[in-house]
Structures are given as C-alpha cells and as structure tokens.
Amino acid sequence: MKASWHGSLRVRHTLMFGLMFLLAGSVVLGGVMILVQNSMDYSLAVVFARKMEKYSPADNVWVSDAIATDEVSRQIIMDSMRENLLFKGGLTLLGASLAATAGAWWLSGRLLRPLNTITETAHRIAGRTLHKRIELDGPHSEVKSLADSFDSMLDRLDEAFAGQGRFIANAAHELKTPIALSRTLLDVAMARPDSTPQLQRLGENLLAVNLRHERLIDSLLTLARAEDAVTDRRPVDLAQLAEYALDVTAKAAADQQVQVRAQLAAATVVGDPLLLEQLIRNLVDNAVRYNHRHGFVWVQTLEEVRQAEIIVTNTGALISPHEVPALFEPFRRLTDRVGSARGSGLGLSIVRAVAQAHGGDALAIPRPDGGLSVRVILPRGDAARA
C-alpha cells in the first residue's frame, strides 16, 4: 500500500529541499542586487563627478542644469539595472529551483528505496506469511541496521509460531490415540450379547462424546496446518468441492428441514485440495447447523479474471455487526457459545485461516432478517502463487 501524496516522505523531502533552495537563492539574489547597487552607485558617482569638472564654475545656470540632467540619467541607469537584474535573476533562480526540486525528487527516491523495500516486505509478511525476509544488501547504515533487526524479529516470531503449530499438531495426534482406543472398547462392550439397554444407551452417549472430541481434534489439526505455509498446490474447482460438501450435509439439512439452493459455476483456483475442501465443508456445515427449521441455505461459486469466490448465505438468528469479528476467533460460536454440543467454534476460524494461507480472505455480513452471508475470495492461478 503506497502512501498518499500529501503523506509521502519523498514528497515532503522534495518540497522541503526545493523550498530551502528557493529561499537560499532568493537571499543570494537579494544580496547580489544590494552589492551591485552599491557598486553601481559608487561607479556612477565617480563617472559623473569627473564629467562635472568640465563645466565652468562661473556659469551657475549651465552647471545646475547639467547636475539635474546627470542625476536623472543616473537614476534611469540604476532603475534599468535593477529591473534587468531582478527579471533575469528571477528567471535564473526559478529555473535553478525547478532543476534542484527534480534533483531532490530523484535523490529522495534513491535514499528512501531501502525503506520502501522494508515497507513492502512488511506488508507481504503481515498479510500472508512469516517466512519472507527483507535481506537488504548494501553497506552498513542506519537503514540496513533497521532491516537486520526486523529480520531477526521475524526469525524469532517464525520460530514461535512454528513451535506453536507443532505443539498443536503433536498434542492432537497424541489425543487421538486414547480416543480411538476408548471407541474400540465401547464398540466391543456394546456388541456383547449380555449388554443391557442401559449399557447400550451409555455406550451411545459416550460414542457421541468421542465423536465430538475427534471432530475437535481434527479441527485443531486443520487450523494448525492452515496457518502454516501451503506447499501442496494444484488446480481445484470450487464448484466441485461445493457439490461434495452439499452431498455430505444433505442428511443434516433434511433432518433440520433446511432447504439448500446452489448456483455453482466453474471457479478454478490453485491451492491445497484438502484444505479448500475443509473450508467449503465448514461453510456449508455452519450454514446448516446454525439455522432454524424450514430455513434456507444459498451456496454460490463464481469466477472473475483475477479471483474466484464462494458465497454461502443462510437464515438464522439475528447477529449484530459488532459480533461478526468475534465469529472468526477460535472457539467462538454463533449461538449458545459456551457448552454447546453443536460445534467446537473453530469453523469460521479454519475458513479464514485457509483462505489467508492461499492469499485470499473471508468476510462475513449479517443479514437484516437473520442469518449470515460469508464470502470467501481466493486469487486464481499465478496470483495465488504470488
């Protein structure tokens, strides 16, 4: 993002240098005019004094007329000199000021180029990934010291985030083992011929709890993977992924009597198919889950020149605009946010994390009559790789 012209450091430096040169040139021109005027006064006084010696001292009338004539001539010469010097000197000063301003603009650009490199790199890092570095070349200077310090800070941040991601992934994998073991034991206990109805109901409840925990762990794994760099990139059609997600959630939509409408146009992007599939499944699953009976869900995919979009809109509870940013935070739910069995609160967090990992973003707009419209924008082709 480039600074506006009135806030640009290069513009301000150029104007400052140009104004300083103009003021300095004006002072020099004024000093030159004073020196020239004093010199001309002295020279003309000497010339006209010698000319006056040729007149006879006894002829008072002619001497007086000659003095008056000489004074007029002297004033005419001084005025002509002053006007000529002021006009030509002013034009010279104006031309030199314009040349100095242009030189200041070029020199400012050269001096500020390392800062522009730092700013552009910071924008790329802030928006997408911590893996990029400035790596500013050149001799040691204040700007290079700033760039090196910024790179060192990024190294520490990258290590911290990578360690956090590894911890989440390792913890999730470690938690999956006892859950899988307990599910196996419950299946064996429920399959025994002498199991009582109470044991069957208890086993079903425990299996439901296990399933919820497995989904939570899978969501944590997906979130940790989405916040890392995307390495597996292939052409993916969002419309096909949306069709699959609609098929998977068709039973849940039928159970809740939610009508699903789709307008799927081919929308190809370059990215990780598994992560993008999880993104769309979360969108559709949230739209069905956080809905009311006899509600509606609209799913649309579209493709533009530089980007592809998927828009999922649903009916549901009224949402205030100030609540929307919190919905993208981990473990924040749309309704009954604490202790809900309807979800882990990671759905939209994963959606935004996956979108940003692919160079895009996710936006949400509450509907006036209830529900939410979530729009995911993903760059296409070479834009995604950049």
Side-chain angles (χ1 to χ4, degrees), residues 179 183 186-187 190 200-215 341:
I179 289 178
R183 184 177 66 246
L186 287 171
D187 289 335
M190 293 173 62
Q200 291 287 338
R201 285 194 297 270
L202 177 61
E204 291 174 356
N205 292 333
L206 291 177
L207 285 176
V209 172
N210 268 14
L211 179 60
R212 184 170 182 269
H213 288 168
E214 279 189 300
R215 289 177 177 174

Short mmCIF file of all heavy atoms in Angstrom, two decimals, residues 179 183 186-187 190 200-215 341:
data_model
loop_
_atom_site.label_atom_id
_atom_site.label_comp_id
_atom_site.label_asym_id
_atom_site.label_seq_id
_atom_site.Cartn_x
_atom_site.Cartn_y
_atom_site.Cartn_z
N ILE A 179 -8.53 -41.74 22.41
CA ILE A 179 -9.92 -41.65 21.97
C ILE A 179 -10.27 -42.82 21.07
O ILE A 179 -11.35 -43.43 21.19
CB ILE A 179 -10.16 -40.30 21.26
CG1 ILE A 179 -10.12 -39.17 22.29
CG2 ILE A 179 -11.48 -40.30 20.51
CD1 ILE A 179 -10.29 -37.80 21.69
N ARG A 183 -13.03 -45.72 21.91
CA ARG A 183 -14.11 -46.04 20.97
C ARG A 183 -14.14 -47.53 20.67
O ARG A 183 -15.21 -48.15 20.58
CB ARG A 183 -13.93 -45.24 19.68
CG ARG A 183 -15.10 -45.45 18.71
CD ARG A 183 -14.97 -44.61 17.46
NE ARG A 183 -13.83 -45.03 16.67
CZ ARG A 183 -12.75 -44.29 16.46
NH1 ARG A 183 -12.66 -43.09 17.01
NH2 ARG A 183 -11.75 -44.73 15.73
N LEU A 186 -15.65 -49.32 23.64
CA LEU A 186 -17.10 -49.12 23.70
C LEU A 186 -17.81 -49.97 22.66
O LEU A 186 -18.87 -50.56 22.94
CB LEU A 186 -17.42 -47.64 23.48
CG LEU A 186 -17.11 -46.70 24.64
CD1 LEU A 186 -17.27 -45.24 24.22
CD2 LEU A 186 -18.01 -47.01 25.83
N ASP A 187 -17.24 -50.05 21.45
CA ASP A 187 -17.85 -50.89 20.42
C ASP A 187 -17.89 -52.35 20.85
O ASP A 187 -18.89 -53.07 20.64
CB ASP A 187 -17.09 -50.73 19.10
CG ASP A 187 -17.30 -49.38 18.47
OD1 ASP A 187 -18.35 -48.76 18.75
OD2 ASP A 187 -16.44 -48.94 17.68
N MET A 190 -20.54 -52.81 23.66
CA MET A 190 -21.91 -52.73 23.16
C MET A 190 -22.27 -53.94 22.30
O MET A 190 -23.45 -54.28 22.17
CB MET A 190 -22.09 -51.43 22.37
CG MET A 190 -22.01 -50.17 23.21
SD MET A 190 -22.04 -48.67 22.22
CE MET A 190 -23.64 -48.81 21.44
N GLN A 200 -26.22 -50.00 26.58
CA GLN A 200 -26.29 -49.55 25.20
C GLN A 200 -26.45 -48.02 25.12
O GLN A 200 -25.77 -47.36 24.34
CB GLN A 200 -27.46 -50.24 24.48
CG GLN A 200 -27.27 -51.73 24.25
CD GLN A 200 -26.25 -52.01 23.15
OE1 GLN A 200 -25.98 -51.16 22.32
NE2 GLN A 200 -25.67 -53.22 23.17
N ARG A 201 -27.36 -47.47 25.95
CA ARG A 201 -27.56 -46.02 25.93
C ARG A 201 -26.32 -45.28 26.40
O ARG A 201 -25.92 -44.26 25.84
CB ARG A 201 -28.76 -45.66 26.80
CG ARG A 201 -30.11 -46.01 26.17
CD ARG A 201 -31.25 -45.33 26.90
NE ARG A 201 -31.34 -45.81 28.29
CZ ARG A 201 -32.07 -46.85 28.65
NH1 ARG A 201 -32.75 -47.55 27.73
NH2 ARG A 201 -32.12 -47.23 29.92
N LEU A 202 -25.69 -45.84 27.46
CA LEU A 202 -24.46 -45.21 27.93
C LEU A 202 -23.37 -45.27 26.86
O LEU A 202 -22.64 -44.29 26.63
CB LEU A 202 -23.98 -45.92 29.20
CG LEU A 202 -22.64 -45.43 29.78
CD1 LEU A 202 -22.75 -43.97 30.18
CD2 LEU A 202 -22.22 -46.30 30.97
N GLY A 203 -23.25 -46.40 26.17
CA GLY A 203 -22.26 -46.51 25.11
C GLY A 203 -22.52 -45.54 23.97
O GLY A 203 -21.59 -44.94 23.42
N GLU A 204 -23.78 -45.37 23.60
CA GLU A 204 -24.12 -44.43 22.53
C GLU A 204 -23.76 -42.99 22.93
O GLU A 204 -23.24 -42.21 22.11
CB GLU A 204 -25.60 -44.54 22.19
CG GLU A 204 -25.97 -45.86 21.51
CD GLU A 204 -27.46 -45.99 21.32
OE1 GLU A 204 -28.20 -45.09 21.78
OE2 GLU A 204 -27.91 -47.01 20.72
N ASN A 205 -24.05 -42.63 24.18
CA ASN A 205 -23.70 -41.28 24.63
C ASN A 205 -22.19 -41.07 24.65
O ASN A 205 -21.68 -40.02 24.23
CB ASN A 205 -24.27 -41.04 26.04
CG ASN A 205 -25.79 -40.96 26.03
OD1 ASN A 205 -26.40 -40.60 25.02
ND2 ASN A 205 -26.40 -41.30 27.17
N LEU A 206 -21.46 -42.09 25.12
CA LEU A 206 -20.00 -41.96 25.14
C LEU A 206 -19.43 -41.92 23.73
O LEU A 206 -18.45 -41.19 23.47
CB LEU A 206 -19.40 -43.13 25.93
CG LEU A 206 -19.67 -43.12 27.43
CD1 LEU A 206 -19.09 -44.37 28.09
CD2 LEU A 206 -19.09 -41.86 28.08
N LEU A 207 -20.01 -42.67 22.81
CA LEU A 207 -19.54 -42.61 21.42
C LEU A 207 -19.80 -41.24 20.81
O LEU A 207 -18.99 -40.73 20.02
CB LEU A 207 -20.22 -43.70 20.59
CG LEU A 207 -19.73 -45.14 20.79
CD1 LEU A 207 -20.58 -46.11 19.98
CD2 LEU A 207 -18.26 -45.26 20.40
N ALA A 208 -20.94 -40.64 21.17
CA ALA A 208 -21.22 -39.29 20.67
C ALA A 208 -20.21 -38.29 21.22
O ALA A 208 -19.74 -37.39 20.50
CB ALA A 208 -22.65 -38.88 21.06
N VAL A 209 -19.86 -38.43 22.51
CA VAL A 209 -18.84 -37.55 23.09
C VAL A 209 -17.49 -37.78 22.40
O VAL A 209 -16.75 -36.82 22.09
CB VAL A 209 -18.73 -37.79 24.60
CG1 VAL A 209 -17.55 -37.02 25.19
CG2 VAL A 209 -20.02 -37.37 25.29
N ASN A 210 -17.14 -39.05 22.17
CA ASN A 210 -15.89 -39.35 21.47
C ASN A 210 -15.86 -38.73 20.07
O ASN A 210 -14.84 -38.22 19.62
CB ASN A 210 -15.71 -40.86 21.36
CG ASN A 210 -14.92 -41.42 22.52
OD1 ASN A 210 -14.73 -40.74 23.52
ND2 ASN A 210 -14.46 -42.67 22.40
N LEU A 211 -17.01 -38.83 19.37
CA LEU A 211 -17.07 -38.28 18.03
C LEU A 211 -16.86 -36.77 18.05
O LEU A 211 -16.15 -36.22 17.19
CB LEU A 211 -18.42 -38.62 17.40
CG LEU A 211 -18.66 -38.10 15.98
CD1 LEU A 211 -17.61 -38.67 15.03
CD2 LEU A 211 -20.07 -38.43 15.51
N ARG A 212 -17.45 -36.11 19.03
CA ARG A 212 -17.27 -34.66 19.14
C ARG A 212 -15.81 -34.32 19.43
O ARG A 212 -15.25 -33.38 18.88
CB ARG A 212 -18.16 -34.10 20.24
CG ARG A 212 -18.11 -32.58 20.36
CD ARG A 212 -19.19 -32.06 21.30
NE ARG A 212 -19.15 -30.61 21.36
CZ ARG A 212 -18.43 -29.92 22.25
NH1 ARG A 212 -17.71 -30.56 23.14
NH2 ARG A 212 -18.46 -28.60 22.23
N HIS A 213 -15.18 -35.10 20.30
CA HIS A 213 -13.76 -34.86 20.60
C HIS A 213 -12.89 -35.11 19.36
O HIS A 213 -11.92 -34.37 19.12
CB HIS A 213 -13.32 -35.76 21.75
CG HIS A 213 -13.89 -35.33 23.07
ND1 HIS A 213 -13.83 -36.12 24.20
CD2 HIS A 213 -14.54 -34.20 23.44
CE1 HIS A 213 -14.39 -35.49 25.21
NE2 HIS A 213 -14.85 -34.33 24.77
N GLU A 214 -13.21 -36.14 18.59
CA GLU A 214 -12.45 -36.39 17.36
C GLU A 214 -12.59 -35.24 16.38
O GLU A 214 -11.61 -34.83 15.74
CB GLU A 214 -12.93 -37.69 16.72
CG GLU A 214 -12.35 -38.94 17.35
CD GLU A 214 -12.69 -40.18 16.55
OE1 GLU A 214 -13.89 -40.47 16.39
OE2 GLU A 214 -11.76 -40.86 16.07
N ARG A 215 -13.80 -34.71 16.26
CA ARG A 215 -14.00 -33.58 15.36
C ARG A 215 -13.22 -32.36 15.85
O ARG A 215 -12.65 -31.60 15.05
CB ARG A 215 -15.49 -33.24 15.27
CG ARG A 215 -16.30 -34.28 14.49
CD ARG A 215 -17.77 -33.93 14.50
NE ARG A 215 -18.55 -34.87 13.70
CZ ARG A 215 -19.89 -34.86 13.64
NH1 ARG A 215 -20.59 -33.97 14.35
NH2 ARG A 215 -20.51 -35.75 12.88
N ALA A 341 -23.10 -28.36 22.20
CA ALA A 341 -22.73 -29.61 21.52
C ALA A 341 -22.88 -29.49 20.03
O ALA A 341 -22.70 -30.45 19.30
CB ALA A 341 -23.60 -30.75 22.04
#
